């Protein structure tokens, strides 16, 4: 880990029914980004906890992996800008970078790609495991179940204190995730599972396992494979988001890596997180026509209406999400390649973006399109069904989860994650035996 330096302190006074005593807490600087106030001794010294629902002002760990400047719309992985990685790298290179901290040499890359490739096949018994699911299961439900179940198949990589076992588990998950994802899809169609092919790249393999059948040859379109690769890069990591924090929290108890990643997938599923790309497409279909946009913008602004513009807004970005810029460009490339001249949903999305970006409500709250705003349109054009959108996000984010999980295990500061609370319930009261309770008492 890069060293951090302790700066001057932050002082504060506890008033309100207290003794007016002043306290000083250390302030720590990272390599860039906001300083943090070190509150580790706060409770011991003051008897108070902090209160921060949603962790809007709380740093839960120190990390060397990903940096976001939400005001400037900057996203760096190990110091490299996301747009440069999307333009010049491929997903395997970004995986290596996230896991090991440096871009690989040609030799390192070849070895890494080969190791990932030779881990793509699933234990044959896992294929039988799929058959326990209902055919109409959501593929994310299948992902949570099957990835969790990997811990029952790969006992030899469960020792989290062995760095080599950790790396084997990490490689296994990165490599097998596309196979699991596409098997979940094939299962829902009632088609045979397609096994991975070692002569294809990671992204080509994904498209092959998704769309090939044993009945006829399937040729992967290189433009679509490149677009898929770029989408994987854009989703690879995003520092301490909900699913990554879930992985870290689950892992902080010493739980095995497969179980931790299954927990991350569960968290990603929600519409406020990875489920948003599916929700964007449903929303665009509901809007249906450009003439209905003002009505939906009005609904999004109405406090009494739960409707939100999906694909808009972000906890960290208060500027254009840099991933959305690349995604919009990729969207045009894919539609051009597929000869789709007029995609009504893309026209609708661009018009919606234009109107929202000029609207005072969105301007003042700094709500910009996020990575999910255009990804659904690309997936749809590629023939990927809506229920698979979040699954693809999980395939891409697996490397981020395992990189963050490995970093956490190696961090000497690591402790079990155990937040505290502001208790607002009943204080201790006298127990009343059942026969003495009145009819109004509630269970
Ligand atoms: N449409 C309308 N209003 C919005 C939207 C939106 N998409 N997003 C935020 N707001 C409003 C909120 O109502 C709130 O208004 P208020 O201050 O008057 O109460 C204000 O903007 C701040 O929003 P919060 O929900 O407090 O911000 P938070 O950081 O908690 O939420 C989130 C971020 C969940 C992403 C939110 O913007 C949202 O729900 N967006 C739509 C879902 C989405 O696209 N999710 C994908 C996120 S990216 C990812 O996970 C890959």
């Amino acid at each position: 880990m890069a060293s951090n330096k302790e700066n001057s302190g932050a002082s504060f006074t506890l008033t309100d029914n207290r003794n007016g005593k002043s306290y000083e807490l250390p302030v720590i600087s990272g390599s860039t980004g906001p300083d943090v106030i070190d509150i580790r001794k706060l409770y011991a010294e003051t008897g108070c906890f902090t209160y921060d629902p949603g962790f809007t002002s709380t740093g839960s760990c120190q990390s060397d992996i990903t940096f976001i400047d939400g005001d400037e719309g900057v996203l760096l992985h190990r110091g490299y800008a996301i747009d440069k990685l999307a333009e010049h790298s491929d997903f395997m290179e970004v995986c290596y970078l996230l896991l090991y901290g440096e871009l690989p040499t040609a030799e390192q890359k070849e070895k890494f790609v080969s190791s990932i490739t030779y881990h793509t096949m699933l234990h044959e018994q896992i294929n039988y495991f799929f058959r326990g699911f209902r055919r109409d299961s959501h593929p994310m439900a299948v992902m949570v179940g099957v990835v969790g179940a990997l811990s029952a198949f790969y006992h030899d990589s469960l020792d989290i204190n062995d760095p080599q076992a950790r790396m084997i588990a990490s490689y296994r998950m990165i490599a097998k995730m596309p196979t699991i994802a596409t098997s979940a899809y094939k299962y829902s169609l009632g088609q045979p599972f397609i096994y991975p092919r070692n002569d294809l790249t990671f992204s080509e393999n994904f498209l092959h396992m998704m769309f090939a059948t044993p009945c006829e040859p399937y040729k992967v379109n290189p433009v679509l494979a490149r677009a898929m690769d770029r989408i994987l890069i854009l989703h690879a990591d995003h520092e301490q988001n909900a699913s990554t924090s879930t992985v870290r929290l689950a892992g902080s108890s010493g739980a095995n890596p497969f179980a931790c990643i299954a927990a991350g997938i569960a968290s990603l599923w929600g519409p406020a997180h990875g489920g948003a790309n599916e929700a964007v497409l449903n929303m665009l279909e509901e809007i249906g026509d450009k003439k209905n946009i003002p009505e939906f913008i009005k609904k999004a602004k109405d406090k009494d209406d739960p409707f939100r513009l999906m694909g808009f807004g972000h906890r960290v970005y208060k500027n254009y999400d840099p991933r959305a810029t690349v995604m919009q460009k990729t969207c045009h490339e894919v539609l051009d390649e597929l000869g789709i001249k007029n995609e009504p949903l893309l026209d609708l999305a661009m018009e919606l973006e234009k109107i929202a970006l000029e609207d005072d409500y969105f301007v003042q709250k700094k709500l910009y399109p996020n990575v999910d705003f255009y990804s659904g349109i690309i997936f749809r054009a590629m023939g990927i069904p809506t229920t698979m959108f979040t699954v693809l996000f999980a395939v891409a984010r697996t490397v981020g989860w395992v990189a963050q999980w490995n970093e956490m295990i190696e961090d000497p500061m690591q402790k079990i994650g155990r937040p505290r609370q502001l208790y607002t319930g009943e204080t201790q009261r006298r127990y009343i035996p059942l026969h003495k309770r009145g009819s109004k008492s509630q269970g």
Side-chain angles (χ1 to χ4, degrees), residues 171-190:
Y171 279 36
R172 278 180 169 152
M173 279 185 279
I174 295 167
K176 293 183 199 308
M177 212 55 88
T179 321
I180 298 172
T182 52
S183 298
Y185 175 57
K186 288 293 188 190
Y187 184 70
S188 73
L189 296 180

Side-chain angles (χ1 to χ4, degrees), residues 247-249 251-252 403-412 414:
V247 170
R248 280 188 179 254
L249 194 57
S252 75
Q404 300 267 354
W405 171 79
N406 271 295
E407 183 180 66
M408 179 198 66
I409 305 278
E410 283 166 14
D411 184 351
Q414 192 266 327

